[in-house]
């Protein structure tokens, strides 16, 4: 058995190497009787497919109605033996023997044909149907007489099939093999030595059948020969080969053929009997008559022809043999077999043409025209069926699909053969068409118009827009959106809103017909598809007027400042036109139709008012008895429901001259309505001014408190203060009314290296230079003091030029303004001395700046202050006739050289004070009161404005 297993493995190896793939086919060759799970071949590699493709495509084997001997391992991509394969049971004597099946893939749909050839293995020994054979041979049998032996049956084929026979012993008989046209062998036993009954009545021989397999197998049969008395003529068949035909599905008992054999002997030795060399369930041979009849069911699809040997034997045991061949004629008795290999239950409506929706296998077991099949589908549907290969069809789309036209199709596939009569089969497929968002919402109307009465309630429902979408489910869900636009520069969303679900349009505000009479906008309907589709519609809203405005009188104008009266001469006749009341109503339609009525009059019998035109005319002759002052009250009323009205007072003077009228109308009082309005506006203005005043006061107090808290925080800091007071600003001396020096101090802390201190650069040599190195120590400042004392020092303040003078109109205006020629040359007169009011204003401005400087300065900070002597009184206000202020500069130019000397003295005094502060560090923590800043022309202007307020 080990040698046999090794032989199978070698055959398997050779067969795997012989695989090939031609035109989408893969062929393998394997031996029969392989164990379950044995490898057939690597189908993934041979087809050029990836294992992932086998998994994603749900690869499977399609065998139709045949048994499934091969299975697919999708994890490895190989074909394995699923069940034991017996070539003899599967194919019999047919060669080659092969298994045909298809491998089907989905997404996309594909299939491949696979042929597996089953090679024979010598697993069957030759065998005889009978274990022994008996002959009765006359002793008169001549040499060369033949006796037909039973042929052995070996299911194997080729080399493994039956190869040879041996007969032992060979004293009287010799084995003779005769080849037949169909490749089989006829086995005969030939008498080669006369028989002698007296010497040997019975003979025993052994017939052995041997195949060509490895190992070699054999089968035997015992032959018993009985020697009879003389019968020297054997039966002879009339034909060597008999032929017969039978139509499949023929009834049992049908006579197919009659065989005949003749015997030259006489009597009982000439009686011939017929028999079949092998038993069968389909046919029988009458031993006496030689009639060959059908006793079973013939199926062309199982066997197309039958052949067997017949024997004719006489009473003496002599025989002859012949062969009969029965051909089976096919009948169209099988309908086409339709098998759905794969199908789709639904397809998107936007699928392209030639999209495969099903793969069908059709098979008809009949032959020739009876097995030719044609398939078709029902008409008027957007599908067609195509033949992909022999027996396989694809159902594909051949035009565009539209779910809105048809959401489901019942496709009937009918396949019929070409037999007579033709047989057919059909199958019905149900295909759902899935929706695609290919339809935009459509409004019921191309445009909408709606009316709404003005003064409506905000949120009022105006009307509803409606759009429909032919799609389904989410693609048909419509949402309404207000398109972005504006009406008179105002977004339309501030006028109306639209409900996204229902399409109801609501008014966002109350409309006024007098402001807007109509407007239009766009509403967009958008479905819920992806991407969404939309359509727009124009909506026009028209405002309907209400009688919400009273008439307005244009003439006569009612004022309280002046009195207007119409004069009527005493000589006026009846119908004299006194005046005309002109009124308008901003409403429209009948709401603007005005009528005029005389409500009150000093003398109703004298005047009348035109109902439609408002003309005031006399209705009788004016007499001297009529009073001069006539007062008429006219009511102007519109035609609305309810109506609104306005009144106007008309003063009429019945006189011939203007002085007479003037004397009579001087005691007319103002109109009460006008006085009421004036009082309201005065109270409103007073309230607004009071509110602004209180607000400003609160802001100023808050700022003051904030600055005071900041100064307190800096005041309590522990950083040492090194005060230094360099003279950077000096007032003129000797000529002004206040003969004191103004000093501006710059104080910086020891931590001043982290802060910035910027100084104004001089614009000319007449402007004092600010030394940026003011953070030095006291010793350095004292050394610089000597430089200031030198007359040629560059830091010394020089007297101004003669052209730094101002006219009376320029004082204290901006610098750079030109003056008259005499002032440019220094010959013009100075301005007049200031008045007491001007001096008081200057004093108040200086005090205001002192308070501001005090709030902003503190220990360790940088600021400016002004020192004043204790005798600072009104008479010490600086005389700006002697000092010239330059806007944008910290210096005051003077033409008095004595002021420079006094400034130097003040600097020396400041240096001495600085030394005293350094000597007493304990007292240095107590900060002196911040000096007050000098008054500038700008501060004078501020104080003047405050006094005016």
């Amino acid at each position: 058995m080990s040698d046999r297993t090794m032989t199978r493995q070698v055959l398997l190896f050779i067969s795997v190497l012989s695989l090939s793939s031609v035109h989408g086919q893969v062929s393998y060759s394997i031996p029969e009787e392989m164990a379950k799970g044995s490898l057939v071949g690597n189908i993934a590699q041979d087809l050029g497919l990836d294992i992932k493709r086998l998994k994603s495509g749900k690869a499977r084997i399609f065998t139709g109605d045949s048994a499934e001997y091969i299975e697919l391992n999708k994890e490895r991509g190989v074909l394995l033996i699923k069940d034991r394969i017996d070539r003899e049971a599967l194919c019999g004597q047919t060669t080659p023997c092969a298994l045909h099946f298809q491998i089907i893939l989905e997404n996309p749909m594909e299939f491949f044909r696979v042929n597996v050839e089953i090679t024979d293995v010598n697993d069957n020994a030759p065998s005889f149907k009978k274990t022994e054979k008996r002959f009765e041979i006359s002793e008169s049998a001549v040499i060369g007489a033949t006796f037909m032996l039973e042929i052995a049956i070996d299911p194997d084929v080729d080399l493994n099939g039956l190869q040879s026979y041996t007969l032992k012993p060979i004293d009287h008989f010799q084995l003779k093999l005769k080849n037949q046209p169909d490749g089989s062998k006829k086995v005969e036993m030939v008498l080669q030595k006369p028989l002698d009954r007296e010497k040997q009545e019975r003979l025993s021989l052994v017939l052995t059948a041997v195949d060509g397999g490895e190992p070699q197998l054999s089968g035997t049969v015992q032959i018993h020969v009985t020697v009879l008395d003389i019968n020297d003529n054997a039966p002879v068949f009339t034909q060597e080969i008999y032929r017969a035909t039978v139509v499949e599905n023929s009834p049992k008992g049908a006579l197919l053929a009659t065989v005949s054999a003749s015997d030259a002997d006489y009597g009982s030795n000439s009686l011939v009997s017929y028999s079949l060399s092998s038993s069968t369930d389909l046919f029988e041979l009458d031993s006496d008559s030689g009639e060959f009849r059908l006793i079973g069911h013939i199926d062309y699809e199982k066997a197309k022809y039958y052949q067997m040997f017949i024997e004719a034997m006489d009473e003496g045991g002599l025989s002859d043999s012949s062969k009969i061949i029965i051909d089976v004629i096919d009948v169209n008795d099988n309908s086409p077999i339709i098998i759905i290999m794969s199908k789709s239950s639904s397809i998107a409506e936007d699928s392209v043409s030639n999209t495969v929706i099903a793969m069908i296998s059709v098979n008809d077991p009949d032959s020739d025209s009876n097995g030719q099949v044609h398939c078709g589908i029902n008409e008027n549907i957007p599908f067609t069926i195509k033949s992909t290969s022999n027996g396989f069809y694809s159902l594909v789309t051949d035009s565009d699909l539209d779910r809105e036209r048809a959401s489901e199709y019942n496709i009937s596939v009918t396949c019929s053969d070409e037999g007579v009569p033709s047989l057919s089969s059909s199958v019905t497929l149900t295909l759902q068409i899935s929706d695609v968002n290919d339809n935009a919402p459509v409004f019921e109307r191309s445009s909408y118009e709606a009316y709404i009465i003005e003064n409506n309630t905000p949120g009022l429902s105006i009307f509803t827009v409606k759009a429909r979408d032919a799609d389904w489910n989410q693609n048909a869900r419509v949402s309404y959106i207000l398109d972005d636009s504006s009406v008179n520069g105002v977004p339309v969303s501030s006028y109306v809103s639209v409900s996204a679900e229902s399409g109801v349009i609501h008014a966002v505000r109350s409309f006024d017909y007098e402001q807007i009479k109509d407007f239009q906008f766009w509403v967009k309907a958008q479905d819920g598809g992806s991407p969404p589709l939309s359509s727009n519609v124009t909506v026009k809203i028209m405002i309907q007027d209400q009688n919400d405005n009273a008439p307005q009188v244009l003439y006569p104008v009612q004022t309280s400042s002046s009195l207007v009266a119409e004069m009527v001469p005493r000589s006026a006749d009846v119908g004299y036109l006194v005046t005309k009341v002109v009124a308008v109503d901003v409403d429209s339609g009948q709401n603007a139709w005005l009528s005029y009525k005389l409500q009150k009059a000093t003398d109703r019998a004298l005047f009348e008012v035109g109902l439609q035109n408002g003309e005031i005319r006399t209705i009788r002759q004016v007499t001297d008895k009529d009073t001069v002052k006539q007062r008429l009250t006219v009511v102007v009323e519109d035609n609305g429901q309810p109506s609104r009205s306005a009144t106007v007072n008309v003063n009429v003077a019945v006189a011939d001259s203007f002085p007479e009228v003037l004397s009579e109308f001087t005691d007319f009082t103002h109109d009460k309505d006008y006085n009421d309005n004036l009082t309201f506006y005065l109270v409103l203005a007073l309230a607004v001014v009071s509110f602004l005043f209180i607000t400003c006061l609160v802001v100023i107090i808050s700022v003051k408190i904030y600055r005071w808290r900041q100064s307190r925080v800096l005041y309590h800091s522990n950083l040492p203060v090194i005060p230094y007071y360099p003279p950077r600003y000096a007032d003129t001396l000797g000529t002004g009314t206040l003969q004191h020096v103004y000093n501006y101090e710059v104080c910086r802390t020891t931590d001043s290296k982290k802060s910035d201190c910027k100084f104004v650069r001089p614009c000319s040599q007449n402007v004092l230079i600010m030394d940026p190195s003011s953070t030095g120590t006291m010793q350095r400042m004292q050394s610089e003091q000597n430089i200031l004392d030198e007359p040629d020092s560059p830091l010394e303040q020089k007297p101004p030029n003669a052209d730094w003078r101002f006219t009376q109109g320029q004082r204290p205006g901006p610098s750079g303004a030109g003056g008259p020629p005499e002032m440019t040359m220094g010959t013009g007169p100075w301005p007049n001395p200031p008045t007491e009011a001007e001096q008081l204003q200057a004093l108040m401005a200086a005090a205001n700046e002192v308070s501001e400087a005090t709030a902003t300065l503190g220990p360790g900070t940088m600021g400016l202050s002004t020192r004043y002597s204790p005798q600072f009184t009104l008479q010490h206000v600086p005389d700006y006739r002697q000092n010239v202020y330059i806007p944008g500069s910290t210096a005051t130019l003077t033409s008095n050289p004595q002021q420079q000397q006094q400034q130097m003295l003040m600097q020396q005094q400041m240096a001495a004070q600085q030394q005293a502060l350094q000597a007493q560090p304990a007292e240095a923590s107590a900060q002196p009161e911040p000096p007050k800043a000098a008054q500038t022309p700008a501060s004078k202007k501020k104080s003047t404005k405050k006094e005016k307020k």
Side-chain angles (χ1 to χ4, degrees), residues 161-311:
L162 182 63
Q163 297 295 324
S164 63
Y165 293 86
T166 59
L167 182 65
K168 294 180 180 180
I170 56 173
D171 296 336
H172 293 84
F173 295 92
Q174 185 179 5
L175 187 64
K176 181 181 180 181
L177 300 177
K178 185 183 291 186
N179 293 325
Q180 299 297 315
D182 60 347
S184 62
K185 292 182 179 181
K186 181 178 181 183
V187 183
E188 293 179 342
M189 186 175 61
V190 180
L191 181 64
Q192 65 179 356
K193 185 179 180 181
L195 298 176
D196 190 359
R197 176 182 171 278
E198 289 71 23
K199 292 181 179 180
Q200 190 175 2
E201 186 178 357
R202 287 180 175 85
L203 299 175
S204 296
L205 303 113
V206 176
L207 177 64
T208 302
V210 182
D211 61 16
E214 288 292 335
Q216 195 175 50
L217 302 178
S218 63
T220 61
V221 61
Q222 295 290 329
I223 300 175
H224 301 283
V225 178
T226 303
V227 180
L228 300 177
D229 201 12
I230 304 294
N231 184 22
D232 54 354
N233 290 295
V236 179
F237 280 100
T238 58
Q239 297 179 19
E240 185 177 358
I241 297 176
Y242 289 90
R243 285 188 173 275
T245 58
V246 60
V247 178
E248 67 171 330
N249 302 326
S250 295
K252 293 181 180 181
L255 178 62
L256 304 181
T258 300
V259 297
S260 175
S262 62
D263 194 328
D265 291 332
Y266 180 77
S268 61
N269 291 328
S270 62
L271 296 178
V272 179
S273 62
Y274 304 95
S275 64
L276 293 173
S277 61
S278 59
S279 60
T280 176
D281 297 333
L282 298 176
F283 307 98
E284 72 174 358
L285 180 61
D286 190 274
S287 60
D288 295 328
S289 62
E291 292 179 350
F292 192 81
R293 294 183 179 274
L294 178 66
I295 62 172
H297 177 72
I298 295 295
D299 191 353
Y300 176 84
E301 287 70 37
K302 292 183 179 180
K304 296 178 175 56
Y305 68 92
Y306 297 91
Q307 64 179 0
M308 57 192 66
F309 294 96
I310 56 177
E311 182 182 16

Side-chain angles (χ1 to χ4, degrees), residues 6 18 64 72 129 229 284 323 339 511 539 783:
M6 184 177 297
S18 63
L72 174 63
K129 291 188 177 181
D229 201 12
E284 72 174 358
K323 184 171 66 173
I339 300 176
F511 295 106
V539 179
S783 63

Side-chain angles (χ1 to χ4, degrees), residues 873-889:
T873 58
L874 184 60
Q875 62 182 357
H876 297 132
V877 175
D879 190 359
Y880 51 80
R881 294 174 299 172
Q882 306 298 330
N883 303 330
V884 179
Y885 170 73
I886 302 176
S889 173

Side-chain angles (χ1 to χ4, degrees), residues 594-628:
L594 302 181
S595 60
Y596 302 86
K597 297 178 182 179
L598 186 62
Q599 184 181 29
K600 293 189 299 183
T602 304
D603 187 356
R604 281 186 172 273
L606 183 58
F607 301 100
E608 68 174 357
V609 179
L611 181 63
Q612 303 297 331
N613 54 21
E615 294 179 352
I616 300 177
R617 296 180 180 272
T618 58
I619 57 176
R620 63 175 176 81
Q621 183 69 38
V622 179
T623 63
D624 295 338
K625 295 182 180 180
D626 294 326
T627 60
V628 177

